[in-house]
Every structure is written in structure tokens, then in C-alpha cells.
Amino acid sequence: MAEEFWRWSETSWRNPDLEGWQKGTLTAGVDIGSTSTQAVLLSDKRLVAYASIRTGANSKDSAHNAMRKVFDLTGLRQEDIAFTVGTGYGRVNVPFADKTITEITCHAKGAHYIYGSTVRTILDMGGQDCKAIHCDETGRVVSFMMNDKCAAGTGRGMEVIADLLGVPIEEIGERSLQVEKDPPPITSQCVVFAKTEVGHLMREGWTKEQVLAAYCEAMAERVARLLRQNEMVEDFAITGGIAKNIGVVKRIERLMHVKALQSDYDSQIAGALGGAVLGYDLLQRRKKRARKTE
Amino acid sequence: MKPTIAIDNAYIESWKQKGGKVVGTVCCHIPEEIIHAAGMLPVRIRGTECTDDRDGELWMTDYACGFCRACLQNLISGKYHFLDGIVVSDGCMFVQRLYDNWKVIGNTKCKVNLNVPRNHDHLAVRYFVDELKILKEEMEKLSGREITDEALNASIDLYNETRALIRELFSLTKGEHPLVSGTETLQWTIKAMSMPKEIYNQELKAFIEEAKGREPITGYGARLMMIGSAVDDPDYVHIFEEHGGLIVTDYNCYGTRYLWQDVTRKEGETPLESIARSYLEKLTCPRMTDLHDEMYEDMLRLAKEFDVDGIVYVRLKNCCLWGGESVFFYDRFKEDGYPVLTLEKEEITTNAGQVGVRAEAFVEMLEGGTD
Amino acid sequence: MNDTKTNEIHEVDLLPDVHKEVVNMYNHMKAKHPDRLWMAQLQMDHWNDICTAHERGKKLILTSTNTPAELIYAFDAVPFVPETLIMRYANSDKTFKYLDLADQYVSHQLCSINRGQIGYYLSGDLKMKPDAVLSTVTPCDSSRVAYTAASKILGVPSFCLDTPYRQDERGYRYIGEQIKEACKFLEEVTGNKLDWDRFREILERGNEAARLLTACSKLRQITPCPLPGSLLVLNEMVGGMMGSQGAVDFLQAEYDYGVRNVKAGRGVTPGKEQFRVIWLQNMLWNNAGIVGWMEKAFNAVLVMDGFGYEGYQVIDTSSEDSIFLGLGQRTLNSPMVHGASGPAEPWIKMVDRMIGEYKVNVAMFAGHVGCKHTWAASKLVKDYIYEKYGLPTLTFDEDGIDIRYQTADQIKATITEYMETLIANQKKQG
């Protein structure tokens, strides 16, 4: 079988330092994106565990698989979870979700959790689209912009380029920075044409690094336009898979004259994490209401 | 949702069977009253029912707005085979080009280009009256019938009745207990431009009575106003209503803006003068250079009157008039406390899922919480 | 990674900034190419007039290229066409800041010329604020937004001349009537009364410029073409200066230069002139150098473009009525309006005449992406010239302002491929 350079590694993680989490209120968020699915488990809003896997052909299976990984890590079962929020484009396909919330609302909340209350602009770069989100100090969405469904400028486009050049996707960012001078960005907006252009550039004698630089630059410019349309207010944070591509992140920072906040969290879990937080908040509100009516 | 009236529908078939003539119009600045007064049936051209606009794109290129491309496609593909004439304004760049291209490639017998001024002062009204005289002559030639002042007055009255009914229809979305959805109101305004007004008025009257006895619509998360470029597709509005929004009013030339403000009469005016002045004064489209402030005030008034939570601003890709209008209203809506969701639209919707996400997220945002 | 490419966000005082640049360019020309100083002089005159208007106690009137500049001069005010500012900056990354700022407020599909303007107004960098806006509704929907935005964002009074789509006598009269109203507006704004003798004098100067422009155009019909294509770009500046001595002096110098070349049998290409090119509509404002490159690389000279063709009519100054009618006619028949922004039919006829008069053998449609209405009628024009002359048209997309869209190298590669095919075909045919 041919090597698949686009394949990024699936991850799962359990918080080793957290104690007594079993006694807290357990909420989960499941984010089914076009290319990846995440499940996050919180106990009283403290991060217990998460899993990030590739979205398969069947969204429902992906939801189950991601959740199963979390259960494997924690020894829990579905009935132990007090509230589950489904989010992402496949949110309606989370069979065990108590509620669905859009990824826009969830990413804002997740970024707020990860980066703190100073974050105002969030760029979510997913597999299939990009979103620029403004939120307030509580992580509530104030406005947002979303680009059209198009593989160029998104994770899927990056995967195509990885395969085309035979460069493992995790190395793209670093290698794109290994050029002395950025070549002009690849102009094609469409990944289908970008493919042709990449082929053309390679024949012209460009190095892989130069092509990657051009592609990352094009992606950054595309995203910068979206960010500008929604106005850039600091602090700024990037979520989603492409946040891991330093070549794109650095270029966005340069074009927008900002520094993106850093965190040890996996940027890909922001949506599912936000969902779990929102699930917890919702549960608390419901409990409060129930107490009032009693 | 119920189906929207077809372009080629039974009313038109019956009209044609009786020997009636049909005239297509492009742009809502064309006073249909003049066509009606000649005993002909005016129908507004739309881009709906077009699923592939390859000929429209061939002639107008991808740089034209998809709505005009689809309208041209519908003309080329014969969807409007029943037309005896077509009247196109210079409403915007692409409407102009639709005319220019159709003039060369089209088979419609009578093709009229109407210059509609972009100011509304006395000089503009005078110029427009002269334009309408040309239109009147052309319509007389096509119909073989003289257009008398009496006939014009009768048409004005009939159209004003339609306007009053459309305003009444929209009043059913007001208050705590809305009775009709935005999908329905758009279907009704589109119906108004697709069949004889005499029958339409009766049908709309009956619908309004029926709707008054309905159970109110519940379960929506936010009351929205849709503003922007031509949205002639109720399915598009439906996406918002499937995702928790209720479109209670609009600023759309296929919606309220089609027939809203009456043609009023001033002392000493001829019917053509009343039509010319009223059509230039009407608040519809940013094409008018001297009505931007009035349009904003009007949108704001509607937002208040219909108790709107947020504004959905739809701009067709390549529509520069509405694409640029935001420079006049973004900050003002913000100051006046109305969040705006901006969406770029193609006439042929292929991203319903993405539009749905935006709609739902906007509703979540307006709701403030998520429960 | 190239860190020098950052779009520095810094505050600029736009007009003095451009003034400084033009002075530098002028001094450079004076030292290095004194024979071509007249080209720099036009720009010097233009920007001097604008940038010192307030110092000289004159009102600065923001206006569009097809608004009669003579009218503004007649009220002792200075016309300022913001398009010339963005064209001046087009080939530099100074433009990006304004385009990007505009994108926050309007759709990026608006023409970049107009987005750039809107960016100027929003940025506050136009510190020398115009005192009023006098514009027309042509050429396109984008410009309709930009001029209204100028007045609303800058908070200055405005007057907009409504120009109908069709070009006929009734339309000319309609505009003429509005120009009378515009006089009242300018009276109020400038505090000056219209002095008819002075007005006539200015109009006659405008007529002189119009005659010279036509004469220069006629010179271009000669083979080999005695004037370089790049001068067509400079000629575009004249529109906003009609009625000024600077415009007359420039065109006179251009004409004299052309005549000298004709007498010497001199063309502008290094070898024998091979190709006579027309561009059906727009100019590559940010890459005007490509025109000169085509001359050197392929002995191909841009003889005319749909923009500058049949520039300006002479106005009959014998009566007030004839003046207003003439100005009305001028407004509807000025460059950019007479062709692509009116109905397609007259544009096709215009291109037809151009091909005949200029003995054209290459047609190119350099499609500025913002000029969408031009694109939407381009097939009609291209089909016509192919059917009548058997002349195919090279079509490519570009952004005449925003070089991030398509670089000069990319455009050159497209043109090279096409020209090489033509040359190969010529060889085949012997």
C-alpha cells in the first residue's frame, strides 16, 4: 500500500493529575467535523480525558468510536455521563447527545476555556471551512464570519498537498518555513487547480519547501481576509487542526500583526470541549430552575 | 413546506389560452401598472428552478451575479416560452447586461430597455415620465390597445390593493404570536408576481382570513429581518426557519420591496407622473443614490415595528449595490443594537448545510444562552 | 520566510505623501530624462494643484473622471479624482492597507479602485479633507457606492449627476439640466459665483485639450505607431484636469513628440512593428510597464484601448444652452462611460471602428476582475470581432490595482504564450 502522507496521528489523553473526578458532574462534548471527530469529558468543568480520531464514512460510528476511546481511558459508560452535547457539521449524528449546538458557539466557549477570558477573536481552521469568531469575556459569541465550503485554505486542502508532495502533514508547517524568501502565493483559490499549479511549479524546479511556503502563504492570506472582514480584536487564538501548522500560523500572525495565544491543550479539541462546558452550564441552569420551581 | 408557485403555472396557461399576452419584467423598478393597463399580464422574471446556469455563465461569465445568470439561463432554456415581451430596467449592472445579451440572442418579440433614474428629484421624475411614455407606446403596440388614463388609474388602484394586502400579510408575523413564516410570506409575494393580480388579491385575502384562525408559530429562537440582494428562493429562507429563526420581515425586492409603498396621487399629476414619482421615491434598492439614509431609517423602523432580534444581511456574490451598502449600515445597526449576520449567496444554493450552521449559530448568539 | 512583506499599518497623510513621491519622480526625470520631463510635468501639475489647494484658499472638490472638471475650475476650485490616487499607488503595497480596511465594510467583489477609495475615507488618512463631492452615477455599481461613501464618511456635502444608461439626446439634456443645478451646489460650496467669461475661457482650454487628444489618437493610427502604449495610461489623468493649462501643455508635448517620430519614421518598437494591439477595455494600472515590455519583447504596440478611444467632444460655447448640452454629452461620452458602462451595442461599434482605424491585428481583453459588467458583455464584443475580422481575443483576468491577485510575471507569461503562438502562426504562413 502506498504511503499516506496526509494521515495525521489520532490521539487520546487522560489527565493524570486529576483526582476525585468521578464524584463530579460528568459532561461530554462530541465534535464531528468533516475530517476529524473529538470527544471530550469534563468533571465539574475540569478536563478528564479526550480523544481525537479521523471521521469515518459514518458519522454515527465516528461519534461512538471517539466516545469509546474516552470510556476506555476512564472506565466509564455512557450512562455515567450527565449531559452530552453534539457539535460540528455532523452534530445531528451524535445518537447519545442530549442537545446539539453549532461548532461556532462551541469553539468560542472552548477557546475561552483553553486560552482564558481575554480571548476576543478566535480563528477556527477546520477540515472543511474556516470561521472567524468574536466573543465576549464569558466566551459568548458576539459576531462571526465563515468562509464558503472549499477545500483550499482548510485542512482537507493541506492533506491533498501533503500527498501530492509526499511530505508528512505534520512536517508541512516547519518545512514551509525553511525558505529564505517566500515565493509568491499559489493564486488558485480552488484545490483542484492548486494541484495543477503545484505540479507546474515542481516541473519549474521549485523545491518542496518553496511550494509549501507558497501554499501556506496562500492559505494564510485567504484566512487573513476572513479575519479582517470580521475585524481583528486581541487577544487572538487559533483552534482546529491547522493551528498545529506553524507555517500557516506564523504567516497569519505576520499578515494580521498579532501573536496567537499559546496553550498546551490540543487545539483540535476546542469544539468538543466547548460543547462539554456548555453542557455543564446548561445542566446547572436546569438544576437551578428545578430548585426554584420546587 | 408547500411548493412555491412555478414559473410556468396554470394561471399563465389559462391566460394564454384566452389569447392574453404576457410581458416579463426584470427589476422591481418597472411599473407593472402600465403593462397591466394595456390588458397584458406582467410577470417578474426569476432565477429559481434553475439548477445549472451554464448558458447564463457562458454569456455573462462568472463575474456576473448568479441571480442574473440564472434569469438569463431561464430565458435561454425556454422556461419563459410564454413571453410576448420583456421589459428590463437599468436597475444594476447585471440587469443591464442581461438585457444587452438577451437583445442579441433572445427570441422575445418585444424587448424594451427602461432607463430608471438613480435620483428622485424633479428632474429625475420628469426624465422618468418621458421614459414611461416610451414604455406606454411600446406596450400599446404590443397589445394593440390604447392605454388610457382611466385604465392606468384602475391599474394603480388594483396594485395598491395588492400592496395593502401584502402589508396585511406581513402584519401577521408581528407580535408575540406570529401566524405566518417568512418562507410563506416570500412564497406569497412571489406568487403576486407570477399570476393575474385580480385573482391573486382574492386568493391572498382568503389566505389572510384562514391564517388568522391558525395556531401561532412557536418554538423559534429569534425573530429575524432578512435584508439585501434579490432573494427569490423561499427554500433559502426556509433554511433559517429550520434552524431556529423566524424571518418576520425583509428588505428584499422579491419580498416586501416588490409591492409595499402605494403609488400615491398628488393634485395636478397625470397617472404616469404619479407612477414615475412614486416608483422613484420607493425605498427598495441601494441603486438610488439619494435614498441611502431614508433606506436605513426605513429598515430600522421595520426592525422595531416587527420586534426583530437580529438582521440577516444576504449579499449575492458580485452584487456591488448591496455588497457596498453595508458601509452605510454596519456601524449604524451596531449602534442601534441590532446584530448583523452577513452571508454571501449564490443563486443556486449548494451550501444549504453551511448556511444552516450560520443560521443556527446566529440564533444561538441572539438567544444569549443555549437553552 | 520573507518578513519584509508585512503590510505595515502606519498612519499616513495621504496627499502630502503622494505629493512627495511625485516631486521625487519629477526630480529624477529632470536629472535623468529631461527629454521626457513633460510626462512628469503632467503629474506634477496635477498633484501640485490638489495638494496646495487649501494653502491657496481654494476648495477641493472630490469628483469622478467623467464629471466635467471645467465646471469645478470655473468656480475657482480644484477637482480631485480619487481614482488617480489609487492608480498612483497601485503598484505598491501601500494600497493593501486600504483595500483590506474596505473589506471589513464592503464585499471584496467591489472594484478595487473603489474599495481603495473607501479604505482612504475609512482610514482617516485623507487628512486634507475634500470640501465637497461632485460625482456622477457612472461607470458602475461599485463607483456608486464609493462616491456616496466619500460624502457620508467624510461628512461633506455632495451632488450626484444621474447619468442614464442609454446615450441619446434626451439623456444629454437631462444631464445638462442637472449640471445647472450642480452650479447652484458649487456656488454654495465655494462661495463663488459662476463667471461666464471665465467659464468659457476654461471650456475653450478644455476644448483645446479635447482636440489635442483626438490629434494624438490620430497619430496612433499611423504605422509604425509613433506613441508608446504607456502614454494611453497617462492620458487617463487628463479627464480630471480638463480645462487646465497643464492638460493642454501635456497633450501638446505628446502631440509634438508623436509628430517628430512620424517625421523621422520612428516607431516605439526596437524592431519592425509587428503587432498592433488593442485592449478592449481596461488598463493595467498597476502593471502599466507590461505595455512597454510588449513593445520590446514582441514588437507589439498597444495602439488604442477601449478606455481612451474617442476621448472628449468639443463643446460649443456659443450659448449657455449649448454649453450645458455639450457638458451633458461629454459626461455620457467620456472614457470608460462611452464604452463598457453603457449598453453593449455602442461598445461593439466603438471596438469595430477602432479595429478599422488603427489597423489592429491583435485583440486583448485584460479583464480587471472588478469590472464585472465589462466581463458580462465581453462575449458579445469578442464574438463580433471574431466573426467580422477573424480576430480572436486573448482574455485574461487581472486586478488592475491589487497586485496580490495576479503578478506581473503571471500576466507576462500569459501574454508570452499567446504572442508566441501568433508569431509561430505568422512564420507558418510565411
Side-chain angles (χ1 to χ4, degrees), chain B residues 321-339:
Chain B
L321 288 175
W322 272 106
E325 190 64 8
S326 38
V327 75
F328 307 120
F329 67 64
Y330 267 163
D331 288 345
R332 294 177 81 174
F333 271 132
K334 206 174 184 179
E335 281 161 24
D336 287 315
Y338 290 96

Short mmCIF file of all heavy atoms in Angstrom, two decimals, chain B residues 321-339:
data_model
loop_
_atom_site.label_atom_id
_atom_site.label_comp_id
_atom_site.label_asym_id
_atom_site.label_seq_id
_atom_site.Cartn_x
_atom_site.Cartn_y
_atom_site.Cartn_z
N LEU B 321 -24.14 46.62 -5.41
CA LEU B 321 -25.04 47.59 -4.76
C LEU B 321 -25.29 47.20 -3.32
O LEU B 321 -25.03 47.96 -2.40
CB LEU B 321 -26.36 47.68 -5.53
CG LEU B 321 -26.26 48.38 -6.88
CD1 LEU B 321 -27.59 48.30 -7.62
CD2 LEU B 321 -25.86 49.84 -6.70
N TRP B 322 -25.76 45.98 -3.12
CA TRP B 322 -25.96 45.54 -1.73
C TRP B 322 -24.62 45.18 -1.08
O TRP B 322 -24.45 45.33 0.12
CB TRP B 322 -26.94 44.37 -1.67
CG TRP B 322 -28.36 44.84 -1.58
CD1 TRP B 322 -29.30 44.80 -2.57
CD2 TRP B 322 -29.01 45.44 -0.45
NE1 TRP B 322 -30.49 45.34 -2.13
CE2 TRP B 322 -30.33 45.74 -0.83
CE3 TRP B 322 -28.61 45.77 0.84
CZ2 TRP B 322 -31.25 46.35 0.04
CZ3 TRP B 322 -29.52 46.37 1.71
CH2 TRP B 322 -30.83 46.65 1.30
N GLY B 323 -23.67 44.75 -1.91
CA GLY B 323 -22.34 44.43 -1.38
C GLY B 323 -21.65 45.64 -0.80
O GLY B 323 -20.77 45.53 0.05
N GLY B 324 -22.04 46.81 -1.26
CA GLY B 324 -21.42 48.04 -0.77
C GLY B 324 -22.27 48.76 0.25
O GLY B 324 -21.79 49.57 1.03
N GLU B 325 -23.55 48.46 0.27
CA GLU B 325 -24.47 49.19 1.15
C GLU B 325 -24.08 49.04 2.62
O GLU B 325 -24.36 49.92 3.44
CB GLU B 325 -25.91 48.69 0.92
CG GLU B 325 -27.00 49.52 1.58
CD GLU B 325 -27.11 50.95 1.05
OE1 GLU B 325 -26.45 51.27 0.06
OE2 GLU B 325 -27.84 51.74 1.66
N SER B 326 -23.42 47.94 2.94
CA SER B 326 -23.05 47.69 4.34
C SER B 326 -22.17 48.80 4.91
O SER B 326 -22.17 49.03 6.12
CB SER B 326 -22.34 46.34 4.45
OG SER B 326 -21.50 46.12 3.34
N VAL B 327 -21.45 49.51 4.04
CA VAL B 327 -20.61 50.60 4.56
C VAL B 327 -21.50 51.68 5.19
O VAL B 327 -21.06 52.41 6.07
CB VAL B 327 -19.69 51.17 3.44
CG1 VAL B 327 -20.43 52.04 2.46
CG2 VAL B 327 -18.52 51.94 4.05
N PHE B 328 -22.73 51.73 4.78
CA PHE B 328 -23.65 52.72 5.34
C PHE B 328 -24.43 52.21 6.54
O PHE B 328 -25.01 52.99 7.27
CB PHE B 328 -24.64 53.21 4.27
CG PHE B 328 -23.97 53.70 3.02
CD1 PHE B 328 -24.22 53.12 1.79
CD2 PHE B 328 -23.05 54.74 3.08
CE1 PHE B 328 -23.59 53.55 0.64
CE2 PHE B 328 -22.40 55.19 1.93
CZ PHE B 328 -22.67 54.59 0.71
N PHE B 329 -24.51 50.88 6.68
CA PHE B 329 -25.37 50.42 7.79
C PHE B 329 -24.69 49.58 8.87
O PHE B 329 -25.25 49.44 9.95
CB PHE B 329 -26.64 49.74 7.28
CG PHE B 329 -26.47 48.42 6.58
CD1 PHE B 329 -25.96 47.31 7.24
CD2 PHE B 329 -26.86 48.27 5.26
CE1 PHE B 329 -25.82 46.08 6.61
CE2 PHE B 329 -26.72 47.05 4.60
CZ PHE B 329 -26.20 45.96 5.29
N TYR B 330 -23.52 49.00 8.59
CA TYR B 330 -22.91 48.14 9.62
C TYR B 330 -22.82 48.85 10.97
O TYR B 330 -23.31 48.36 11.98
CB TYR B 330 -21.50 47.73 9.18
CG TYR B 330 -21.40 46.40 8.44
CD1 TYR B 330 -20.27 46.10 7.71
CD2 TYR B 330 -22.41 45.46 8.50
CE1 TYR B 330 -20.15 44.88 7.03
CE2 TYR B 330 -22.29 44.25 7.83
CZ TYR B 330 -21.16 43.97 7.09
OH TYR B 330 -21.04 42.78 6.42
N ASP B 331 -22.16 50.01 10.96
CA ASP B 331 -21.95 50.70 12.24
C ASP B 331 -23.26 51.19 12.83
O ASP B 331 -23.45 51.19 14.04
CB ASP B 331 -20.98 51.87 12.05
CG ASP B 331 -19.56 51.37 11.81
OD1 ASP B 331 -19.31 50.18 12.09
OD2 ASP B 331 -18.71 52.16 11.36
N ARG B 332 -24.16 51.60 11.95
CA ARG B 332 -25.43 52.16 12.47
C ARG B 332 -26.29 51.08 13.12
O ARG B 332 -26.88 51.31 14.18
CB ARG B 332 -26.19 52.85 11.33
CG ARG B 332 -25.44 54.08 10.84
CD ARG B 332 -26.14 54.72 9.67
NE ARG B 332 -27.24 55.58 10.09
CZ ARG B 332 -27.93 56.33 9.24
NH1 ARG B 332 -27.65 56.33 7.96
NH2 ARG B 332 -28.92 57.09 9.68
N PHE B 333 -26.35 49.91 12.49
CA PHE B 333 -27.11 48.82 13.12
C PHE B 333 -26.49 48.45 14.47
O PHE B 333 -27.19 48.16 15.44
CB PHE B 333 -27.18 47.59 12.22
CG PHE B 333 -28.36 47.59 11.26
CD1 PHE B 333 -28.19 47.30 9.91
CD2 PHE B 333 -29.65 47.86 11.73
CE1 PHE B 333 -29.28 47.30 9.05
CE2 PHE B 333 -30.74 47.85 10.86
CZ PHE B 333 -30.55 47.58 9.52
N LYS B 334 -25.16 48.49 14.50
CA LYS B 334 -24.46 48.16 15.74
C LYS B 334 -24.86 49.17 16.83
O LYS B 334 -25.22 48.79 17.93
CB LYS B 334 -22.95 48.23 15.47
CG LYS B 334 -22.11 47.39 16.38
CD LYS B 334 -20.66 47.46 15.88
CE LYS B 334 -19.74 46.57 16.64
NZ LYS B 334 -18.37 46.66 16.13
N GLU B 335 -24.80 50.45 16.45
CA GLU B 335 -25.17 51.49 17.41
C GLU B 335 -26.62 51.35 17.85
O GLU B 335 -26.96 51.61 19.00
CB GLU B 335 -24.99 52.88 16.78
CG GLU B 335 -23.55 53.35 16.76
CD GLU B 335 -23.34 54.47 15.75
OE1 GLU B 335 -24.32 55.18 15.40
OE2 GLU B 335 -22.19 54.61 15.29
N ASP B 336 -27.46 50.94 16.92
CA ASP B 336 -28.88 50.81 17.25
C ASP B 336 -29.22 49.46 17.89
O ASP B 336 -30.38 49.16 18.13
CB ASP B 336 -29.74 51.05 16.00
CG ASP B 336 -29.75 52.53 15.62
OD1 ASP B 336 -29.91 53.36 16.53
OD2 ASP B 336 -29.56 52.85 14.43
N GLY B 337 -28.20 48.65 18.12
CA GLY B 337 -28.39 47.42 18.88
C GLY B 337 -28.91 46.23 18.10
O GLY B 337 -29.53 45.34 18.67
N TYR B 338 -28.65 46.21 16.80
CA TYR B 338 -29.09 45.05 16.01
C TYR B 338 -27.89 44.29 15.45
O TYR B 338 -27.19 44.81 14.57
CB TYR B 338 -30.00 45.49 14.85
CG TYR B 338 -31.35 45.98 15.32
CD1 TYR B 338 -31.59 47.33 15.51
CD2 TYR B 338 -32.36 45.08 15.61
CE1 TYR B 338 -32.82 47.78 15.97
CE2 TYR B 338 -33.60 45.50 16.07
CZ TYR B 338 -33.81 46.86 16.25
OH TYR B 338 -35.02 47.29 16.70
N PRO B 339 -27.61 43.10 15.97
CA PRO B 339 -26.53 42.30 15.39
C PRO B 339 -26.85 41.94 13.94
O PRO B 339 -28.01 41.73 13.59
CB PRO B 339 -26.50 41.04 16.26
CG PRO B 339 -27.26 41.38 17.48
CD PRO B 339 -28.27 42.41 17.08
#
